[in-house]
Structure formats: C-alpha cells, structure tokens
Amino acid sequence: MGRDTDVLLEINHMRKGFDGLDVIRDISLSVREGEVVSIIGPSGSGKSTLLRCATMLEKMDGGELTYMGEPAAWEENGKCVYAPKSKLKEIHQYFGLVFQNFNLFPHYSVMKNIIDAPVSVGGVSKGEAVELAEKLLAQLGLSDKADAYPYQLSGGQQQRVSIARALALQPKILFFDEPTSALDPELTGEVLKVIKQLASEHMTMIIVTHEMQFARELSDRIIFMEQGIIQAQGKPEEIFASDQERVREFIGKFQS
C-alpha cells in the first residue's frame, strides 16, 4: 500500500485565485480519520474557498487533492488536472458538505430531501434510504418533521436536516462551512450540540467556524488562516496560548 491509511484527506500546495486576486496562495494540510479540525480566521482569509476547492465546488488553480489515497487533482506542466469523471464521482462519495444557508430543496419534504441523493446517486434502495433517514431524524431530534417542508422549520431545524442529508450518504468526512452563521444564538446551540454528538462518535470533520469557544472545546486541531495561507496550526491549547500577535489579536476579539 505504501500510504498512511489513517489519512483521509491530503491537500498539497493548493492555489486558487479569482480575477487575478490570489485567495488561496499555498495551503497544505492532511486530516486523519476521526480528527476534528476547525478552521478559523478573519473574513476574506480564504476559509470558505479552501472548503469549496476541497469539495470540488471550485476548481483549484494548482496543487494536489487526494482522498483516501486516491488522487482527485494534481498538477501537470503548471496546470491543475482532475481525475476522470467516473473517478471523481466515486471520490465525491467520501465526503459530505453542510452549508451555512442550509441549501435544502424547498419543494421537497424533509424525508425526500434526505433520501434523494442516496437513492439517485448512491444507488441505495428507497426502503433502505428511508430506514436510515428515520434513524438520522431520531438522532437529531426531528422524528416528527419527516413530512414537513423546509419553510415550516426553524433555521436550527433546517440546519439539522441538512446535516442529516449529508450523513445519509454515509461519508467518511463531513465539511461544515460556517454552519451556525445564519442562526441566532439560541438555534446555534442546537446545531453545535449535534456536531458535538458526531465528534463523540468519532466522525471526521472539518469545520470553518467563528465560534471560538466551540472550536476550543471540540477540535483536535485548529488552523488559523489569513491572506490565503495557514499562519498557525496546533492543538486548541497551543493556538489559544499562541505568542503570534495576529493569532492572539484575532482570538482576543472573540473572548470577552
């Protein structure tokens, strides 16, 4: 095999720019099975772009992207080349993504939102998909909402449905892009509780967040990004006691 089987995601020298502006200048990181990694940093530091490139919603300009030892993208002659579509489809099944604005299908019931992808993309039978969806809804405290439509739910409930939808594909890694930024503080608590529960079940997660206390309690590792590069990374206690001025200044703003 020759590779570290614990590493689920590996990014080497990722670069991405928009309209001549470098948003991600040079990012390398790897995530191991069961690890919870929080990515923090000021607005415009490239955090969401990093997630969008890692989940192939955006194409990288350069660098390498590997899931479970399988290359999704690499560089040839200074250009980024992606694996064939059939291979990318396979790699897509390794991860799930939860957006800040829920992205649920408004005209689908909660149940249909959750089972749609497993049945149409994952090739799971409808019966099996419904069974798993019911389990996930129970786990997330939403058993009575299977037939509801997104507009009938609070923001916190909608975000929990979108977590259930991501989990229904049984991914190896879950990405969260600011999962609570559209929610008021009371609803934020419901969603963070679910993420904590997943962490206790050793779900591998990469979370872009501005919830500092949450990142501190939950993460195995925190990455501080600014200006498109990783300025600091380490265990929460290392980051929160950092002697790097920028890191201290940034974290200080969130600690009253």
Side-chain angles (χ1 to χ4, degrees):
M1 287 276 285
R3 78 177 182 92
D4 186 340
T5 47
D6 282 352
V7 175
L8 300 188
L9 167 68
E10 196 160 351
I11 293 169
N12 288 313
H13 306 297
M14 180 190 278
R15 297 192 312 281
K16 176 69 182 172
F18 296 99
D19 306 323
L21 183 72
D22 292 335
V23 179
I24 291 182
R25 298 191 345 232
D26 182 5
I27 294 264
S28 297
L29 64 93
S30 61
V31 178
R32 305 175 84 85
E33 193 166 357
E35 200 175 16
V36 177
V37 178
S38 290
I39 301 176
I40 63 171
S43 293
S45 57
K47 305 182 301 290
S48 289
T49 303
L50 167 62
L51 242 56
R52 291 180 69 82
C53 287
T55 55
M56 297 182 271
L57 290 170
E58 297 280 358
K59 283 198 159 172
M60 309 188 304
D61 294 337
E64 296 174 353
L65 177 64
T66 305
Y67 277 94
M68 319 273 295
E70 297 181 26
W74 57 92
E75 221 168 303
E76 272 177 25
N77 307 323
K79 289 189 82 167
C80 206
V81 180
Y82 279 77
K85 274 201 170 125
S86 58
K87 176 49 86 180
L88 289 181
K89 191 179 172 189
E90 216 177 280
I91 290 173
H92 262 281
Q93 313 236 347
Y94 294 147
F95 61 80
L97 177 58
V98 177
F99 300 90
Q100 52 185 297
N101 52 355
F102 325 135
N103 281 23
L104 296 171
F105 295 117
H107 54 294
Y108 283 2
S109 68
V110 164
M111 179 58 80
K112 189 158 169 50
N113 261 291
I114 296 170
I115 69 170
D116 186 57
V119 173
S120 58
V121 181
V124 174
S125 75
K126 190 174 176 190
E128 218 178 314
V130 167
E131 199 178 319
L132 177 59
E134 284 172 347
K135 264 189 202 152
L136 289 167
L137 287 172
Q139 188 184 340
L140 303 182
L142 294 165
S143 289
D144 56 337
K145 300 295 181 193
D147 300 327
Y149 283 81
Y151 76 89
Q152 298 171 309
L153 305 176
S154 71
Q157 289 168 332
Q158 288 187 60
Q159 190 58 296
R160 282 184 283 154
V161 172
S162 69
I163 293 172
R165 183 180 60 179
L167 288 170
L169 284 162
Q170 302 184 337
K172 301 279 186 199
I173 299 185
L174 260 190
F175 290 92
F176 291 88
D177 187 10
E178 299 266 11
T180 59
S181 64
L183 303 175
D184 65 37
E186 196 178 335
L187 300 178
T188 292
E190 309 176 2
V191 174
L192 297 183
K193 191 174 156 192
V194 168
I195 298 173
K196 278 184 180 166
Q197 185 186 338
L198 292 171
S200 72
E201 294 161 10
H202 308 294
M203 180 79 206
T204 310
M205 294 185 280
I206 298 172
I207 307 166
V208 168
T209 185
H210 57 275
E211 299 281 343
M212 291 300 124
Q213 200 44 47
F214 171 71
R216 185 178 196 164
E217 283 171 27
L218 195 75
S219 314
D220 296 300
R221 183 157 43 109
I222 295 178
I223 289 173
F224 175 73
M225 266 181 80
E226 192 170 36
Q227 295 176 327
I229 57 174
I230 292 174
Q231 302 278 3
Q233 64 173 312
K235 292 188 167 83
E237 56 271 24
E238 292 165 353
I239 293 296
F240 277 78
S242 175
D243 52 8
Q244 281 191 40
E245 199 178 325
R246 266 308 286 137
V247 180
R248 274 172 43 190
E249 193 184 316
F250 177 76
I251 286 173
K253 283 181 186 158
F254 290 89
Q255 294 182 304
S256 45

Short mmCIF file of all heavy atoms in Angstrom, two decimals, residues 4-66:
data_model
loop_
_atom_site.label_atom_id
_atom_site.label_comp_id
_atom_site.label_asym_id
_atom_site.label_seq_id
_atom_site.Cartn_x
_atom_site.Cartn_y
_atom_site.Cartn_z
N ASP A 4 -0.23 6.11 4.36
CA ASP A 4 -0.75 6.11 5.71
C ASP A 4 -2.27 5.98 5.63
O ASP A 4 -2.97 6.90 5.24
CB ASP A 4 -0.36 7.46 6.37
CG ASP A 4 -0.73 7.50 7.84
OD1 ASP A 4 -1.59 6.69 8.23
OD2 ASP A 4 -0.17 8.31 8.56
N THR A 5 -2.78 4.80 5.98
CA THR A 5 -4.21 4.53 5.77
C THR A 5 -5.11 5.38 6.66
O THR A 5 -6.30 5.47 6.43
CB THR A 5 -4.52 3.04 6.04
OG1 THR A 5 -3.90 2.67 7.27
CG2 THR A 5 -4.02 2.17 4.93
N ASP A 6 -4.53 6.02 7.69
CA ASP A 6 -5.34 6.86 8.56
C ASP A 6 -5.67 8.21 7.94
O ASP A 6 -6.56 8.91 8.38
CB ASP A 6 -4.59 7.15 9.88
CG ASP A 6 -4.67 5.94 10.80
OD1 ASP A 6 -5.41 5.01 10.46
OD2 ASP A 6 -3.99 5.94 11.83
N VAL A 7 -4.88 8.62 6.94
CA VAL A 7 -5.08 9.95 6.33
C VAL A 7 -6.22 9.86 5.32
O VAL A 7 -6.14 9.14 4.33
CB VAL A 7 -3.79 10.47 5.66
CG1 VAL A 7 -4.05 11.77 4.93
CG2 VAL A 7 -2.70 10.68 6.72
N LEU A 8 -7.31 10.60 5.60
CA LEU A 8 -8.47 10.56 4.71
C LEU A 8 -8.38 11.63 3.64
O LEU A 8 -8.86 11.44 2.53
CB LEU A 8 -9.76 10.77 5.51
CG LEU A 8 -10.10 9.77 6.61
CD1 LEU A 8 -11.50 10.02 7.15
CD2 LEU A 8 -10.01 8.34 6.09
N LEU A 9 -7.79 12.77 3.99
CA LEU A 9 -7.72 13.89 3.06
C LEU A 9 -6.33 14.48 3.09
O LEU A 9 -5.77 14.70 4.16
CB LEU A 9 -8.74 14.97 3.47
CG LEU A 9 -8.59 16.35 2.80
CD1 LEU A 9 -8.91 16.28 1.31
CD2 LEU A 9 -9.48 17.38 3.48
N GLU A 10 -5.80 14.73 1.90
CA GLU A 10 -4.49 15.37 1.82
C GLU A 10 -4.53 16.46 0.76
O GLU A 10 -4.97 16.24 -0.37
CB GLU A 10 -3.43 14.33 1.46
CG GLU A 10 -2.05 14.84 1.74
CD GLU A 10 -1.02 13.71 1.85
OE1 GLU A 10 -1.40 12.53 1.89
OE2 GLU A 10 0.16 14.05 1.89
N ILE A 11 -4.11 17.64 1.15
CA ILE A 11 -4.03 18.79 0.24
C ILE A 11 -2.59 19.25 0.23
O ILE A 11 -1.99 19.45 1.30
CB ILE A 11 -4.95 19.94 0.73
CG1 ILE A 11 -6.43 19.53 0.63
CG2 ILE A 11 -4.70 21.22 -0.07
CD1 ILE A 11 -7.38 20.50 1.32
N ASN A 12 -2.01 19.39 -0.96
CA ASN A 12 -0.63 19.89 -1.06
C ASN A 12 -0.57 21.10 -1.97
O ASN A 12 -0.99 21.04 -3.14
CB ASN A 12 0.29 18.80 -1.62
CG ASN A 12 0.54 17.71 -0.59
OD1 ASN A 12 0.83 17.99 0.55
ND2 ASN A 12 0.37 16.46 -0.99
N HIS A 13 -0.07 22.20 -1.42
CA HIS A 13 0.20 23.43 -2.20
C HIS A 13 -0.99 23.90 -3.03
O HIS A 13 -0.85 24.28 -4.19
CB HIS A 13 1.44 23.23 -3.09
CG HIS A 13 2.64 22.78 -2.30
ND1 HIS A 13 3.22 23.56 -1.32
CD2 HIS A 13 3.32 21.60 -2.32
CE1 HIS A 13 4.23 22.90 -0.78
NE2 HIS A 13 4.30 21.72 -1.35
N MET A 14 -2.18 23.87 -2.42
CA MET A 14 -3.38 24.34 -3.13
C MET A 14 -3.28 25.84 -3.41
O MET A 14 -2.90 26.61 -2.54
CB MET A 14 -4.62 24.05 -2.28
CG MET A 14 -5.92 24.50 -2.93
SD MET A 14 -7.31 24.41 -1.76
CE MET A 14 -7.75 22.68 -1.82
N ARG A 15 -3.66 26.20 -4.65
CA ARG A 15 -3.72 27.63 -5.02
C ARG A 15 -5.04 27.90 -5.72
O ARG A 15 -5.53 27.07 -6.49
CB ARG A 15 -2.59 28.00 -5.98
CG ARG A 15 -1.19 27.83 -5.41
CD ARG A 15 -0.13 28.47 -6.30
NE ARG A 15 -0.25 28.13 -7.72
CZ ARG A 15 0.17 26.98 -8.26
NH1 ARG A 15 0.73 26.06 -7.50
NH2 ARG A 15 0.03 26.76 -9.55
N LYS A 16 -5.60 29.08 -5.45
CA LYS A 16 -6.83 29.47 -6.13
C LYS A 16 -6.94 30.98 -6.15
O LYS A 16 -6.77 31.64 -5.12
CB LYS A 16 -8.05 28.88 -5.39
CG LYS A 16 -9.40 29.30 -5.97
CD LYS A 16 -9.64 28.69 -7.34
CE LYS A 16 -10.96 29.14 -7.94
NZ LYS A 16 -11.10 28.70 -9.34
N GLY A 17 -7.22 31.53 -7.34
CA GLY A 17 -7.40 32.97 -7.46
C GLY A 17 -8.68 33.28 -8.21
O GLY A 17 -9.22 32.44 -8.94
N PHE A 18 -9.19 34.48 -8.00
CA PHE A 18 -10.36 34.96 -8.74
C PHE A 18 -9.99 36.33 -9.31
O PHE A 18 -9.55 37.21 -8.57
CB PHE A 18 -11.58 35.12 -7.83
CG PHE A 18 -12.06 33.81 -7.24
CD1 PHE A 18 -11.72 33.46 -5.95
CD2 PHE A 18 -12.87 32.95 -7.97
CE1 PHE A 18 -12.16 32.26 -5.39
CE2 PHE A 18 -13.32 31.76 -7.42
CZ PHE A 18 -12.96 31.41 -6.14
N ASP A 19 -10.18 36.49 -10.61
CA ASP A 19 -9.91 37.78 -11.27
C ASP A 19 -8.54 38.34 -10.91
O ASP A 19 -8.40 39.52 -10.56
CB ASP A 19 -10.99 38.82 -10.89
CG ASP A 19 -12.39 38.30 -11.18
OD1 ASP A 19 -12.55 37.59 -12.19
OD2 ASP A 19 -13.31 38.57 -10.39
N GLY A 20 -7.56 37.47 -10.97
CA GLY A 20 -6.19 37.93 -10.73
C GLY A 20 -5.83 38.14 -9.27
O GLY A 20 -4.71 38.52 -8.94
N LEU A 21 -6.78 37.88 -8.38
CA LEU A 21 -6.52 38.05 -6.95
C LEU A 21 -6.32 36.67 -6.32
O LEU A 21 -7.19 35.80 -6.43
CB LEU A 21 -7.71 38.76 -6.29
CG LEU A 21 -7.58 39.07 -4.80
CD1 LEU A 21 -6.58 40.21 -4.58
CD2 LEU A 21 -8.93 39.46 -4.22
N ASP A 22 -5.17 36.46 -5.67
CA ASP A 22 -4.91 35.17 -5.03
C ASP A 22 -5.70 35.05 -3.74
O ASP A 22 -5.45 35.80 -2.79
CB ASP A 22 -3.41 35.02 -4.70
CG ASP A 22 -2.57 34.91 -5.96
OD1 ASP A 22 -3.13 34.49 -6.99
OD2 ASP A 22 -1.38 35.27 -5.91
N VAL A 23 -6.64 34.11 -3.70
CA VAL A 23 -7.45 33.92 -2.48
C VAL A 23 -6.80 32.83 -1.62
O VAL A 23 -6.74 32.94 -0.40
CB VAL A 23 -8.90 33.53 -2.86
CG1 VAL A 23 -9.73 33.29 -1.61
CG2 VAL A 23 -9.53 34.66 -3.68
N ILE A 24 -6.31 31.78 -2.29
CA ILE A 24 -5.53 30.76 -1.58
C ILE A 24 -4.16 30.71 -2.24
O ILE A 24 -4.05 30.42 -3.43
CB ILE A 24 -6.23 29.39 -1.65
CG1 ILE A 24 -7.49 29.46 -0.81
CG2 ILE A 24 -5.33 28.27 -1.15
CD1 ILE A 24 -8.26 28.20 -0.74
N ARG A 25 -3.13 31.02 -1.45
CA ARG A 25 -1.81 31.18 -2.06
C ARG A 25 -0.97 29.91 -2.01
O ARG A 25 -0.25 29.60 -2.94
CB ARG A 25 -1.07 32.34 -1.38
CG ARG A 25 -1.84 33.64 -1.61
CD ARG A 25 -1.13 34.92 -1.22
NE ARG A 25 0.04 34.82 -0.38
CZ ARG A 25 0.20 35.52 0.74
NH1 ARG A 25 -0.77 36.30 1.18
NH2 ARG A 25 1.29 35.42 1.43
N ASP A 26 -1.09 29.19 -0.89
CA ASP A 26 -0.30 27.95 -0.78
C ASP A 26 -0.76 27.24 0.49
O ASP A 26 -0.32 27.58 1.57
CB ASP A 26 1.19 28.27 -0.71
CG ASP A 26 2.04 27.00 -0.65
OD1 ASP A 26 1.48 25.88 -0.75
OD2 ASP A 26 3.27 27.10 -0.48
N ILE A 27 -1.65 26.28 0.32
CA ILE A 27 -2.19 25.58 1.50
C ILE A 27 -1.88 24.09 1.40
O ILE A 27 -2.18 23.46 0.39
CB ILE A 27 -3.72 25.76 1.59
CG1 ILE A 27 -4.07 27.23 1.84
CG2 ILE A 27 -4.34 24.84 2.64
CD1 ILE A 27 -4.32 27.63 3.25
N SER A 28 -1.29 23.56 2.44
CA SER A 28 -1.06 22.11 2.54
C SER A 28 -1.59 21.65 3.90
O SER A 28 -1.28 22.27 4.92
CB SER A 28 0.42 21.77 2.43
OG SER A 28 0.93 22.15 1.17
N LEU A 29 -2.38 20.60 3.89
CA LEU A 29 -2.84 20.04 5.16
C LEU A 29 -3.31 18.61 4.93
O LEU A 29 -3.65 18.22 3.82
CB LEU A 29 -3.97 20.88 5.76
CG LEU A 29 -5.30 21.00 5.02
CD1 LEU A 29 -6.29 19.95 5.49
CD2 LEU A 29 -5.92 22.37 5.30
N SER A 30 -3.30 17.83 6.01
CA SER A 30 -3.87 16.48 5.92
C SER A 30 -4.75 16.26 7.14
O SER A 30 -4.53 16.85 8.19
CB SER A 30 -2.77 15.42 5.83
OG SER A 30 -1.97 15.47 6.97
N VAL A 31 -5.77 15.43 6.94
CA VAL A 31 -6.73 15.16 8.01
C VAL A 31 -6.83 13.65 8.19
O VAL A 31 -7.03 12.91 7.21
CB VAL A 31 -8.12 15.76 7.67
CG1 VAL A 31 -9.12 15.44 8.76
CG2 VAL A 31 -8.01 17.27 7.49
N ARG A 32 -6.69 13.23 9.43
CA ARG A 32 -6.71 11.79 9.73
C ARG A 32 -8.10 11.35 10.16
O ARG A 32 -8.93 12.15 10.59
CB ARG A 32 -5.73 11.49 10.86
CG ARG A 32 -4.32 11.95 10.59
CD ARG A 32 -3.44 11.72 11.81
NE ARG A 32 -2.95 10.35 11.81
CZ ARG A 32 -1.87 9.95 11.14
NH1 ARG A 32 -1.16 10.81 10.45
NH2 ARG A 32 -1.48 8.70 11.18
N GLU A 33 -8.32 10.08 10.08
CA GLU A 33 -9.61 9.50 10.46
C GLU A 33 -9.95 9.84 11.91
O GLU A 33 -9.11 9.72 12.80
CB GLU A 33 -9.56 7.99 10.27
CG GLU A 33 -10.92 7.37 10.34
CD GLU A 33 -10.94 5.94 9.82
OE1 GLU A 33 -9.90 5.44 9.36
OE2 GLU A 33 -12.01 5.34 9.91
N GLY A 34 -11.19 10.30 12.15
CA GLY A 34 -11.65 10.59 13.50
C GLY A 34 -11.25 11.95 14.02
O GLY A 34 -11.61 12.35 15.12
N GLU A 35 -10.50 12.70 13.22
CA GLU A 35 -10.00 14.01 13.67
C GLU A 35 -11.06 15.09 13.42
O GLU A 35 -11.77 15.06 12.42
CB GLU A 35 -8.73 14.33 12.87
CG GLU A 35 -7.86 15.36 13.51
CD GLU A 35 -6.53 15.59 12.77
OE1 GLU A 35 -6.36 15.18 11.61
OE2 GLU A 35 -5.66 16.20 13.39
N VAL A 36 -11.13 16.04 14.35
CA VAL A 36 -11.99 17.22 14.16
C VAL A 36 -11.06 18.42 14.02
O VAL A 36 -10.29 18.74 14.93
CB VAL A 36 -12.94 17.43 15.36
CG1 VAL A 36 -13.77 18.71 15.16
CG2 VAL A 36 -13.86 16.23 15.53
N VAL A 37 -11.10 19.04 12.85
CA VAL A 37 -10.23 20.18 12.55
C VAL A 37 -11.09 21.42 12.36
O VAL A 37 -12.01 21.41 11.53
CB VAL A 37 -9.41 19.92 11.27
CG1 VAL A 37 -8.53 21.12 10.94
CG2 VAL A 37 -8.54 18.66 11.42
N SER A 38 -10.84 22.46 13.14
CA SER A 38 -11.56 23.73 12.96
C SER A 38 -10.65 24.70 12.23
O SER A 38 -9.45 24.78 12.51
CB SER A 38 -11.97 24.33 14.30
OG SER A 38 -12.99 23.54 14.88
N ILE A 39 -11.25 25.44 11.29
CA ILE A 39 -10.50 26.45 10.55
C ILE A 39 -11.07 27.81 10.94
O ILE A 39 -12.27 28.06 10.79
CB ILE A 39 -10.61 26.23 9.03
CG1 ILE A 39 -10.07 24.83 8.67
CG2 ILE A 39 -9.84 27.30 8.28
CD1 ILE A 39 -10.22 24.44 7.21
N ILE A 40 -10.21 28.66 11.49
CA ILE A 40 -10.64 29.98 11.93
C ILE A 40 -9.81 31.03 11.19
O ILE A 40 -8.79 30.71 10.57
CB ILE A 40 -10.49 30.15 13.46
CG1 ILE A 40 -9.01 30.04 13.88
CG2 ILE A 40 -11.34 29.13 14.21
CD1 ILE A 40 -8.74 30.42 15.34
N GLY A 41 -10.27 32.27 11.27
CA GLY A 41 -9.52 33.35 10.63
C GLY A 41 -10.48 34.45 10.22
O GLY A 41 -11.69 34.25 10.15
N PRO A 42 -9.93 35.64 9.92
CA PRO A 42 -10.80 36.76 9.57
C PRO A 42 -11.54 36.53 8.26
O PRO A 42 -11.16 35.67 7.46
CB PRO A 42 -9.82 37.94 9.44
CG PRO A 42 -8.48 37.33 9.26
CD PRO A 42 -8.51 35.99 9.91
N SER A 43 -12.60 37.32 8.02
CA SER A 43 -13.33 37.24 6.76
C SER A 43 -12.36 37.54 5.61
O SER A 43 -11.48 38.38 5.74
CB SER A 43 -14.44 38.29 6.73
OG SER A 43 -15.40 37.95 7.69
N GLY A 44 -12.56 36.84 4.51
CA GLY A 44 -11.71 37.08 3.34
C GLY A 44 -10.37 36.41 3.41
O GLY A 44 -9.48 36.65 2.59
N SER A 45 -10.18 35.51 4.40
CA SER A 45 -8.87 34.86 4.52
C SER A 45 -8.76 33.61 3.63
O SER A 45 -7.71 33.00 3.54
CB SER A 45 -8.60 34.49 5.98
OG SER A 45 -9.62 33.65 6.48
N GLY A 46 -9.88 33.22 3.00
CA GLY A 46 -9.84 32.07 2.08
C GLY A 46 -10.41 30.79 2.66
O GLY A 46 -10.34 29.74 2.05
N LYS A 47 -11.03 30.87 3.86
CA LYS A 47 -11.51 29.65 4.53
C LYS A 47 -12.58 28.93 3.71
O LYS A 47 -12.50 27.73 3.49
CB LYS A 47 -12.09 29.99 5.92
CG LYS A 47 -11.15 30.73 6.84
CD LYS A 47 -11.75 30.98 8.22
CE LYS A 47 -13.04 31.77 8.24
NZ LYS A 47 -12.91 33.19 7.90
N SER A 48 -13.60 29.68 3.27
CA SER A 48 -14.69 29.05 2.51
C SER A 48 -14.20 28.57 1.15
O SER A 48 -14.62 27.53 0.66
CB SER A 48 -15.87 30.01 2.34
OG SER A 48 -16.51 30.18 3.58
N THR A 49 -13.28 29.34 0.56
CA THR A 49 -12.72 28.93 -0.74
C THR A 49 -11.94 27.62 -0.59
O THR A 49 -12.02 26.74 -1.45
CB THR A 49 -11.81 30.04 -1.32
OG1 THR A 49 -12.59 31.23 -1.44
CG2 THR A 49 -11.27 29.67 -2.68
N LEU A 50 -11.22 27.49 0.51
CA LEU A 50 -10.50 26.24 0.79
C LEU A 50 -11.48 25.07 0.81
O LEU A 50 -11.25 24.03 0.19
CB LEU A 50 -9.76 26.36 2.13
CG LEU A 50 -9.21 25.05 2.73
CD1 LEU A 50 -8.16 24.43 1.82
CD2 LEU A 50 -8.60 25.30 4.10
N LEU A 51 -12.60 25.25 1.51
CA LEU A 51 -13.61 24.19 1.59
C LEU A 51 -14.23 23.91 0.22
O LEU A 51 -14.45 22.75 -0.14
CB LEU A 51 -14.72 24.59 2.57
CG LEU A 51 -14.87 23.69 3.78
CD1 LEU A 51 -13.58 23.56 4.54
CD2 LEU A 51 -15.98 24.17 4.70
N ARG A 52 -14.49 24.96 -0.54
CA ARG A 52 -15.11 24.79 -1.86
C ARG A 52 -14.16 24.07 -2.83
O ARG A 52 -14.59 23.28 -3.66
CB ARG A 52 -15.57 26.13 -2.43
CG ARG A 52 -16.75 26.72 -1.65
CD ARG A 52 -17.20 28.05 -2.21
NE ARG A 52 -17.82 27.90 -3.52
CZ ARG A 52 -19.07 27.54 -3.73
NH1 ARG A 52 -19.86 27.29 -2.69
NH2 ARG A 52 -19.56 27.43 -4.94
N CYS A 53 -12.87 24.35 -2.69
CA CYS A 53 -11.88 23.64 -3.53
C CYS A 53 -11.72 22.19 -3.07
O CYS A 53 -11.62 21.27 -3.89
CB CYS A 53 -10.54 24.35 -3.50
SG CYS A 53 -10.51 25.90 -4.42
N ALA A 54 -11.71 21.99 -1.75
CA ALA A 54 -11.56 20.63 -1.21
C ALA A 54 -12.73 19.74 -1.60
O ALA A 54 -12.56 18.53 -1.78
CB ALA A 54 -11.42 20.68 0.31
N THR A 55 -13.92 20.35 -1.74
CA THR A 55 -15.11 19.56 -2.09
C THR A 55 -15.44 19.67 -3.59
O THR A 55 -16.50 19.27 -4.03
CB THR A 55 -16.33 20.00 -1.26
OG1 THR A 55 -16.52 21.41 -1.43
CG2 THR A 55 -16.13 19.70 0.22
N MET A 56 -14.52 20.26 -4.33
CA MET A 56 -14.60 20.34 -5.80
C MET A 56 -15.77 21.16 -6.33
O MET A 56 -16.23 20.95 -7.45
CB MET A 56 -14.54 18.94 -6.42
CG MET A 56 -13.21 18.26 -6.12
SD MET A 56 -13.00 16.63 -6.84
CE MET A 56 -13.67 15.58 -5.58
N LEU A 57 -16.28 22.08 -5.50
CA LEU A 57 -17.28 23.04 -5.99
C LEU A 57 -16.57 24.13 -6.79
O LEU A 57 -17.17 24.79 -7.63
CB LEU A 57 -18.04 23.67 -4.82
CG LEU A 57 -19.00 22.73 -4.08
CD1 LEU A 57 -19.50 23.39 -2.81
CD2 LEU A 57 -20.18 22.35 -4.97
N GLU A 58 -15.29 24.34 -6.46
CA GLU A 58 -14.45 25.25 -7.25
C GLU A 58 -13.25 24.44 -7.73
O GLU A 58 -12.78 23.55 -7.02
CB GLU A 58 -13.91 26.39 -6.37
CG GLU A 58 -14.94 27.31 -5.77
CD GLU A 58 -15.44 28.36 -6.75
OE1 GLU A 58 -14.96 28.40 -7.91
OE2 GLU A 58 -16.34 29.11 -6.35
N LYS A 59 -12.73 24.80 -8.89
CA LYS A 59 -11.52 24.14 -9.39
C LYS A 59 -10.29 24.86 -8.87
O LYS A 59 -10.22 26.09 -8.92
CB LYS A 59 -11.51 24.13 -10.92
CG LYS A 59 -12.44 23.09 -11.50
CD LYS A 59 -12.11 22.81 -12.95
CE LYS A 59 -12.66 21.44 -13.35
NZ LYS A 59 -12.55 21.17 -14.78
N MET A 60 -9.34 24.10 -8.38
CA MET A 60 -8.08 24.69 -7.93
C MET A 60 -7.29 25.17 -9.15
O MET A 60 -7.44 24.63 -10.24
CB MET A 60 -7.23 23.64 -7.20
CG MET A 60 -7.94 22.88 -6.10
SD MET A 60 -6.82 21.83 -5.13
CE MET A 60 -6.04 20.77 -6.35
N ASP A 61 -6.43 26.17 -8.92
CA ASP A 61 -5.52 26.60 -9.99
C ASP A 61 -4.24 25.78 -9.97
O ASP A 61 -3.56 25.65 -10.98
CB ASP A 61 -5.17 28.09 -9.81
CG ASP A 61 -6.38 28.99 -9.99
OD1 ASP A 61 -7.34 28.56 -10.66
OD2 ASP A 61 -6.38 30.11 -9.44
N GLY A 62 -3.93 25.25 -8.80
CA GLY A 62 -2.70 24.46 -8.70
C GLY A 62 -2.71 23.67 -7.41
O GLY A 62 -3.48 23.97 -6.49
N GLY A 63 -1.84 22.66 -7.34
CA GLY A 63 -1.73 21.84 -6.13
C GLY A 63 -2.29 20.45 -6.33
O GLY A 63 -2.64 20.06 -7.45
N GLU A 64 -2.37 19.72 -5.23
CA GLU A 64 -2.85 18.33 -5.28
C GLU A 64 -3.95 18.13 -4.24
O GLU A 64 -3.88 18.68 -3.15
CB GLU A 64 -1.70 17.36 -4.91
CG GLU A 64 -0.55 17.36 -5.88
CD GLU A 64 0.60 16.49 -5.36
OE1 GLU A 64 0.54 16.01 -4.21
OE2 GLU A 64 1.56 16.32 -6.11
N LEU A 65 -4.92 17.30 -4.62
CA LEU A 65 -6.03 16.96 -3.73
C LEU A 65 -6.22 15.45 -3.76
O LEU A 65 -6.40 14.87 -4.84
CB LEU A 65 -7.30 17.67 -4.22
CG LEU A 65 -8.61 17.39 -3.48
CD1 LEU A 65 -8.54 17.89 -2.04
CD2 LEU A 65 -9.79 18.06 -4.19
N THR A 66 -6.13 14.81 -2.60
CA THR A 66 -6.21 13.35 -2.52
C THR A 66 -7.16 12.93 -1.41
O THR A 66 -7.09 13.45 -0.30
CB THR A 66 -4.81 12.76 -2.21
OG1 THR A 66 -3.88 13.25 -3.19
CG2 THR A 66 -4.81 11.24 -2.27
#
